[in-house]
Amino acid sequence: MQNQSEEAWQVIDESIFTELEKLSLIDCSVCEWGEIESFGCLKSLKHLKLLNCPVLEGLDVNLRRQLVIARLPYLITLNGGETITRDARDKAERAFIRYYMEEENKPARYIELEALHGKLDKLIDLDLKPKKYVSVVIEYDNKSSVRRFSQDITVMGLKKKVAYYLH
């Protein structure tokens, strides 16, 4: 299920680059993921710097890191950062699967990772940030009114606001 642009980049002859351990692609014109994925066959490539490339634009920093790590199974460090742990790689590969699961043209690496991790469920987008406001129902003289207050309001402040609404 590869698209044509990815197939075009699978021409790297890994026998030529058997000693290549480090590669720095900074401010270069890499604009397709297939270009990066083609480095996956280079078992000797352990350290990659990939910065300011068009293919990374518009992606969250964490997601772009995960998408690169998942594509390159032999990579040990990315952008001079900490060593990629087994746990970080596992999370990156699962994020990669979820990122492409609904795409029609999946990268070749997707099939490999799905075989490794199995079919995954989509993650629920859940906002666990605390609420900033609370709604309070004020009942008085057979009347009811709902008012919003900051969750940081003090009891004294709430009493003053309620008294204002009642008069």
Side-chain angles (χ1 to χ4, degrees):
M1 297 184 121
Q2 301 167 328
N3 64 34
Q4 291 176 346
S5 63
E6 288 174 343
E7 289 173 2
W9 287 100
Q10 292 183 345
V11 294
I12 289 182
D13 183 355
E14 60 187 283
S15 65
I16 296 173
F17 298 103
T18 57
E19 304 292 321
L20 181 66
E21 290 184 20
K22 297 178 182 180
L23 181 61
S24 183
L25 299 171
I26 299 172
D27 294 322
C28 65
S29 60
V30 173
C31 46
E32 295 182 24
W33 281 110
E35 297 173 66
I36 295 168
E37 194 163 314
S38 66
F39 297 125
C41 68
L42 302 175
K43 295 178 182 176
S44 61
L45 182 61
K46 305 296 182 201
H47 311 280
L48 175 66
K49 286 191 179 183
L50 184 67
L51 301 166
N52 302 325
C53 300
V55 72
L56 304 174
E57 290 176 4
L59 292 174
D60 169 82
V61 174
N62 188 46
L63 178 61
R64 84 173 63 149
R65 179 175 173 77
Q66 290 176 324
L67 293 177
V68 172
I69 290 171
R71 280 184 164 83
L72 304 174
Y74 305 107
L75 205 59
I76 294 174
T77 64
L78 178 61
N79 296 331
E82 295 179 10
T83 299
I84 300 167
T85 64
R86 181 65 235 157
D87 184 54
R89 179 166 298 283
D90 188 59
K91 286 179 181 176
E93 291 171 351
R94 290 173 179 276
F96 181 91
I97 292 170
R98 287 188 174 99
Y99 184 81
Y100 286 104
M101 69 181 8
E102 294 183 3
E103 295 292 320
E104 193 169 313
N105 292 323
K106 295 173 176 50
R109 185 76 171 133
Y110 177 90
I111 296 161
E112 296 170 22
L113 293 176
E114 191 176 58
L116 178 66
H117 296 286
K119 292 213 181 271
L120 302 178
D121 293 327
K122 275 186 85 171
L123 293 178
I124 298 172
D125 188 16
L126 187 59
D127 182 8
L128 296 176
K129 290 184 266 177
K131 302 296 181 212
K132 295 184 183 216
Y133 297 95
V134 293
S135 295
V136 177
V137 178
I138 302 170
E139 293 183 0
Y140 183 75
D141 273 348
N142 294 329
K143 294 179 185 174
S144 181
S145 176
V146 178
R147 300 290 179 181
R148 283 180 37 150
F149 298 99
S150 168
Q151 72 172 9
D152 299 328
I153 195 168
T154 63
V155 173
M156 181 59 75
L158 180 62
K159 286 180 176 180
K160 288 179 181 178
K161 295 268 187 182
V162 170
Y164 172 78
Y165 289 128
L166 295 178
H167 291 92

